[in-house]
Each structure stands twice: as C-alpha cells, then as structure tokens.
Amino acid sequence: MFSANQTPEGFKKDTVRNVESTAKFVWNLATWDLREKVNASAQQFPFEVDEFEHVGLEKEFSSCLPGDVQNPVPMVRESPVKFECSYHSTLRLPGASVMGGVDLVIGKVEGVHIADWALSKEGKLDIGKTKPIARCGYYDYVVLDKTFEMVIPGGDKAILAGLEGNAEQARQSMGRPPDEQTLPLPKSRLRSGSDTGRQAPHVPLATAANDLFGNIDPSLTTFGKLSHRLPVSVYLMLQLPLRPSFYIFKSFAQPSFASITKTRAFSPSSPANMKLLYPTSLVLDPAKITGFPTLTLHPYDVKSPTLPSEHHDAEILVTWANSKDNLTYAVKNLKDLKWIQSLAAGPNDVLSAGFDASKVKITTGSGLHDKTVAEHALGLLLNAARRFYEMRDYQLQGKWPGHLGGPQPDREKDTFRTLRDARVTIWGFGNIAKSLTPHLVALGATVKGLARSKGVRDGIEVFGEDSLEDILKETDALVMILPGDASTKHALNRERLGYLPNHAWVVNVGRGTSIDEDALFEALEGEQIGGAALDVFETEPLPEGNKLYGAKNLILSPHAAGGRPQGAEELIVENMRKFLGGQELKNII
C-alpha cells in the first residue's frame, strides 16, 4: 500500500488517478543513493509532465501484470527492489488539515524484482546494501544501514522456522509432506570460480523462495515460477499476495517510489479507445469521468429511437430515463456492448428492452437515489400527519379549515397526527430506509423494519416477514420501499391491509406493483385505514379517470421521489476502475 495526500482543493494526486485508471502500479524501494531524486519527485508537476525525464531516472518496464505487452508500467531502473502490483482498492481517509483527505491505495503483489547486488551470500535481501530511507516528519529523513536479530521467545517451531527462512523445517514441524517441486537457484546462489557455468542445482520450490526472500511465511504464500532474469534481477511470480516479514517493507518503505512513479503507463502502443455513451437526460460532468487514457466519452439522446451509427461500436452504455424504442434499438445494434450502467435504482427498463445479463454486465444506480427518496418519504409522512393536503383542499374551496387549527389533542391514542412517538414500520429495509430512519428518529418516531431476514441494521430492529401480521397491527404509518419483482407483487393485499389499525397510513415510495390498488381503494373508501400517500403506481402515468384520483384521504405524487441521481459520476468512475481491473462491479445484477 501507499498513501497520497489530496490537493488542497480536494483532488486526487496524479499517482492515484493513474493507478485507478490503469488498475496497476509498481512500488520501487527508495534508497540512500536515490535520495535526491526521491526529494525532487515530490514537487507538484502538471499531469502531463513525465517525472522520470524531469528528475533524471531511467525506465525499465513491468512484465508480470495484465496488458504489459501493450501497456507496461515504467519502473525505476536504479531502484534495487520493485514490486509489480495489480490495483485492489482505494480507501479515502478524511482529514481536517489544509491538505484535506488522504487516498490510501492498496495493491496485490504480482511480481518482485531484486537486483543481484542487493542479495547477501545466503541469498537474502541485504538491508545494509540497499540502505532504504524513510521520512520521519518535518524535513527529517532516516537511513537504515544496520540490522539486528531478535528471536521471539517461546515461539512455535513452525513459526520460528518460517522466520528463519527454513521452509522444509517449517513443513516438518507442521506435519506436512516435503514439497517436491523444484527449480534452479538464482544466479546469486551459484558458486564462483571453478563452479562458474555449471548447471544450477535444484532445490524444493518453497526453499528457494525463502532463500531468496528470507522471512516468508510458507503457510500463507503459494509460489509459482521462479527464474533468473538477466542481467541484474530476479522476479517471483506469486499466486497469492506476498506475505514477507521484512519489517523495512512494512514500516519503513516511505517514501517509496510509488510517489515518484506517477506511472506514465500510457504508451503510444496503448489499446484502441473504448467508447462510453452517456445520456443527456441529466447533467453529467464529463470532467469528473477522466483519468482513463483508453476511454472516450460521447453524449447521446435517450429519447431518440436510434443511436448514431458511428457509435454502434460502443462498449459501455450509461442509461437514464431512456425511451423503450431507444433501448430496443441499442439491444439490436450495439453488438460490442460489454457493460450497461443504469442510473436508475433498478434494472427493469434495461431488462424489459431485451438485454441479457448473462452476456452484458448490467449495474444499477442503487444508492444514487437514497437521500432524495428518503426526503420525499419524510415529506409524505409529514403531509399525512399534519394534514397539509386537507388544508390545501379547503384553501381551493375558499374555506377556513378551522378544525385543523387552534388547540389540538397531543398524541391522542389511535391517531396519526404527529411523528413524535408514532410507530413507523419500514417494509423493505435497504439503503433508502437507512437514510430515512435517522430523520424519523430525530423527530421522535419509534421505527421498526420488515425484511426477508431479521436482524439489527443501523441500530434499528428489523423483523422477518414471519412477524408481519403482528408488526402491522402495531403500526401507525407503514412506509413501503420494496423492489419490483414477482416476489413482491401485491405484497400489501386485502388481507394484510386488514391487519393495519383504522388510523394507519400507507406510504409507498418503492414500486407500484407491491400494492393491490383495488384492495387499497376499498380500504380507503371504507375508512378501514387512515389514508395513503403514493408516489408509485402499477400503471404510470396513472390513467385519467382512474378511481384513485377521487379516493378519500389519498395523496398522489407522480413518481417524484427519485428522478435526480446524486453522485452518478462517482459511481461511473468507481465501476470503470473495477471494469478495467477485471473486478466485481458495484450493484451488478
């Protein structure tokens, strides 16, 4: 891992941008001999500046990472130790200083290079030769040129053998059979003089690896092919992340040349550009979707029944409020499509158009609507409790709603007139519910959840659907945030409506299909429930003349809870990094 402060404006450093866009990087050991160039590399250069050339470092290139033939990562030739890493993730840590937050970048070690001269006679890394440097704070640095040993007292034999680099003894201590895989020793292990040029002896695989690296836990590391790479380095291909006990690497590897290698991995031989089509149905800032050297962005009209022929080779499609004809055309004509990023909370429109999730990766905009839908649900609850809808009706009639003003009973039993002490049940306890709940609790409501599985989520007790009847009977306001699929169709039916108290309100900001609208109309007309506030319907737009328009105590909202994705660019960029790195995409169906 390495860390990079963000700029005072809150932007990522070039190193982080490059690593996230290429999904790979190289860690280079910073040494005493390279100290001046390490320091020079800390300057703030424009993005397009090649720091290797500016600082005066020679390049060599990675060979163990995906795409290295066409797009290798430059490495610092002068550095004696280099780790080739595939990008794993970025942890953004908030900060209160002038420099703002810090990006902590984590990589998986895929290959290791060690210069021959940096090895001891025993084939271990010689710290006294490499002389790593570390930053201590202020303008101070330290150089490490001497080591000493300490053996853990009372340590397990297998652990001590591993720390000594004796893999065979470690295996025997653990009762494991010897490793019969063999491979030639690196050149640094060959004898000099009369033995020069003789065929290298063969040793068990793990033994050679431990001879080379010293302290590697054999129980945690699986090694692949080890070979000598002329003229000056060896590398080790790893099937699992490297687990060395080199404390210098764990604790003293700052500043590594991850900071100097603002990896200009964008060679003229980069693969052909990928096309991403983004919708004009919302305001997206293309400048926020940058840092991907092989990606080009192209806007398109989501309401058009066709797409421009020059974009039929697009590999990525971002959708939002597309017409059915537009998506149907895309199914038939975008033959190179590999990934669809929908900005809607669910994939219904994309799947209905005919896209096959087994052939094209489909990701949703789950999370982009949490705050807006939660806010809308809160507004509907307040409208219902404080009777704003009824006040508006009286206003339009030119009448004074005196019964709603003046002295009022405080939290009268079997009424829903305030959120304070109200028993609010949220059916479908996902991210939107987690955004809504703190507001309800702050206003004094008692919140319970209903979901397929029970548990405690964000401090709220969530009950399984086997408790549904009992929970509904003790509910003043039911908020429904269920997804729209076969399992939730008419989840709130005539029978379950009957469980609710006569004063209870139903608020639906999930999917219209989750309520039996005929049964709801009957319950409203018969005053079996207090009222309903609906943002979604089985058929949208709700047809003119539909009986729900005239139902008692019904607030109609025209699917307005969401409709404004927040953080779309960040989701696209996060999934783009994962897509390029071959990782699991966020919100994939």
Side-chain angles (χ1 to χ4, degrees):
M1 52 72 68
F2 69 88
S3 62
N5 284 82
Q6 298 162 18
T7 67
E9 297 79 21
F11 298 119
K12 297 177 180 178
K13 289 285 187 68
D14 292 349
T15 300
V16 178
R17 292 172 59 192
N18 286 340
V19 170
E20 292 179 340
S21 65
T22 62
K24 53 187 178 180
F25 65 94
V26 172
W27 176 93
N28 305 266
L29 181 67
T31 67
W32 170 256
D33 292 338
L34 292 170
R35 62 191 182 282
E36 296 298 339
K37 293 180 179 180
V38 170
N39 190 41
S41 74
Q43 301 174 73
Q44 297 296 312
F45 296 106
F47 183 76
E48 64 276 4
V49 171
D50 187 325
E51 294 186 23
F52 278 86
E53 295 178 4
H54 188 92
V55 174
L57 287 167
E58 292 187 45
K59 297 178 183 178
E60 57 183 351
F61 293 92
S62 60
S63 58
C64 305
L65 300 172
D68 273 352
V69 174
Q70 293 180 309
N71 197 24
V73 180
M75 305 190 297
V76 179
R77 180 182 292 275
E78 298 92 331
S79 178
V81 182
K82 296 176 272 285
F83 289 179
E84 296 190 31
C85 304
S86 59
Y87 172 71
H88 179 273
S89 58
T90 301
L91 177 63
R92 173 161 284 192
L93 302 175
S97 69
V98 176
M99 292 305 295
V102 174
D103 290 311
L104 186 69
V105 178
I106 301 170
K108 175 184 175 183
V109 179
E110 305 285 359
V112 173
H113 302 255
I114 300 179
D116 285 349
W117 63 261
L119 295 172
S120 69
K121 293 180 180 179
E122 294 78 25
K124 298 179 181 180
L125 183 69
D126 192 329
I127 299 299
K129 292 180 179 179
T130 59
K131 295 183 180 179
I133 61 174
R135 186 178 180 185
C136 299
Y138 309 112
Y139 297 126
D140 298 339
Y141 288 77
V142 67
V143 59
L144 201 68
D145 56 6
K146 184 172 68 174
T147 63
F148 62 95
E149 289 188 352
M150 290 195 298
V151 179
I152 302 173
D156 179 90
K157 289 184 178 180
I159 294 177
L160 293 178
L163 291 174
E164 292 171 2
N166 192 329
E168 191 61 34
Q169 185 176 331
R171 270 195 182 77
Q172 293 173 4
S173 299
M174 299 170 69
R176 295 184 180 179
D179 190 337
E180 297 303 327
Q181 285 185 272
T182 60
L183 71 167
L185 284 169
K187 182 180 178 182
S188 61
R189 294 277 292 173
L190 296 181
R191 297 171 183 167
S192 59
S194 60
D195 286 338
T196 302
R198 291 171 54 185
Q199 183 176 357
H202 283 70
V203 296
L205 174 64
T207 303
N210 279 284
D211 282 341
L212 177 62
F213 282 90
N215 303 329
I216 296 180
D217 183 343
S219 67
L220 297 176
T221 310
T222 301
F223 299 99
K225 179 181 178 183
L226 177 66
S227 63
H228 187 248
R229 190 168 182 226
L230 296 175
V232 293
S233 65
V234 293
Y235 70 89
L236 179 64
M237 296 296 295
L238 305 180
Q239 297 172 354
L240 291 178
L242 183 68
R243 298 294 295 270
S245 297
F246 284 147
Y247 295 110
I248 180 65
F249 290 160
K250 285 187 174 181
S251 305
F252 293 79
Q254 299 182 43
S256 74
F257 266 126
S259 59
I260 196 169
T261 311
K262 290 188 176 179
T263 50
R264 300 281 175 248
F266 320 144
S267 66
S269 59
S270 296
N273 287 337
M274 290 189 300
K275 283 186 178 180
L276 180 149
L277 304 185
Y278 67 91
T280 57
S281 49
L282 79 164
V283 179
L284 280 177
D285 184 359
K288 293 183 178 179
I289 314 175
T290 57
F292 301 98
T294 61
L295 183 69
T296 60
L297 308 178
H298 307 272
Y300 74 100
D301 181 2
V302 300
K303 300 303 180 185
S304 171
T306 64
L307 292 168
S309 58
E310 63 268 25
H311 296 327
H312 284 186
D313 58 347
E315 296 181 54
I316 305 166
L317 179 69
V318 180
T319 66
W320 173 246
N322 296 57
S323 69
K324 182 178 180 180
D325 289 342
N326 182 270
L327 289 176
T328 301
Y329 183 89
V331 172
K332 296 177 180 178
N333 293 278
L334 301 189
K335 301 300 184 183
D336 296 327
L337 202 61
K338 294 182 174 63
W339 165 37
I340 297 173
Q341 174 63 68
S342 171
L343 301 182
N348 297 15
D349 57 341
V350 173
L351 295 177
S352 297
F355 282 107
D356 186 346
S358 66
K359 298 178 180 178
V360 178
K361 296 180 186 295
I362 300 175
T363 53
T364 72
S366 177
L368 303 182
H369 307 270
D370 295 350
K371 291 180 173 59
T372 56
V373 176
E375 182 181 85
H376 201 82
L378 179 62
L380 293 176
L381 284 167
L382 288 170
N383 192 347
R386 304 311 294 264
R387 301 298 194 269
F388 297 142
Y389 69 95
E390 193 174 348
M391 295 176 190
R392 177 66 173 174
D393 288 343
Y394 270 74
Q395 178 185 343
L396 292 176
Q397 297 175 47
K399 296 179 181 180
W400 180 255
H403 64 292
L404 298 176
Q408 299 287 324
D410 180 27
R411 287 165 284 177
E412 187 178 17
K413 184 176 173 59
D414 296 331
T415 63
F416 178 53
R417 295 299 179 93
T418 176
L419 282 173
R420 186 172 183 185
D421 294 334
R423 301 167 300 178
V424 179
T425 298
I426 303 178
W427 193 357
F429 208 92
N431 290 332
I432 296 173
K434 293 174 183 177
S435 294
L436 173 62
T437 296
H439 301 291
L440 298 176
V441 172
L443 290 172
T446 299
V447 181
K448 294 180 180 179
L450 273 174
R452 290 190 176 96
S453 58
K454 62 183 179 179
V456 176
R457 304 178 192 174
D458 286 20
I460 301 298
E461 186 171 9
V462 179
F463 295 84
E465 293 184 353
D466 56 346
S467 303
L468 187 145
E469 179 178 351
D470 293 335
I471 297 298
L472 291 185
K473 288 180 178 179
E474 300 295 325
T475 295
D476 298 316
L478 173 64
V479 181
M480 301 187 63
I481 321 178
L482 292 172
D485 56 40
S487 68
T488 63
K489 184 174 177 61
H490 290 182
L492 187 62
N493 54 25
R494 184 173 284 101
E495 178 185 1
R496 290 170 173 172
L497 280 164
Y499 299 150
L500 291 167
N502 291 343
H503 67 276
W505 272 69
V506 174
V507 174
N508 190 9
V509 291
R511 287 290 180 264
T513 54
S514 64
I515 294 181
D516 182 341
E517 292 178 354
D518 290 334
L520 178 67
F521 179 80
E522 293 173 9
L524 291 169
E525 291 297 299
E527 298 184 358
Q528 297 171 25
I529 60 174
L534 308 180
D535 182 59
V536 288
F537 304 87
E538 290 198 73
T539 301
E540 294 182 5
L542 190 66
E544 290 186 18
N546 188 287
K547 58 188 176 183
L548 289 177
Y549 283 113
K552 293 180 181 179
N553 295 333
L554 178 63
I555 302 169
L556 269 66
S557 169
H559 205 139
R564 49 189 75 78
Q566 297 179 342
E569 294 93 345
E570 287 80 2
L571 177 61
I572 294 170
V573 169
E574 179 180 354
N575 264 344
M576 178 60 68
R577 293 199 305 263
K578 294 177 182 294
F579 179 73
L580 293 174
Q583 300 173 340
E584 181 81 0
L585 302 185
K586 184 177 182 179
N587 299 340
I588 192 165
I589 64 169

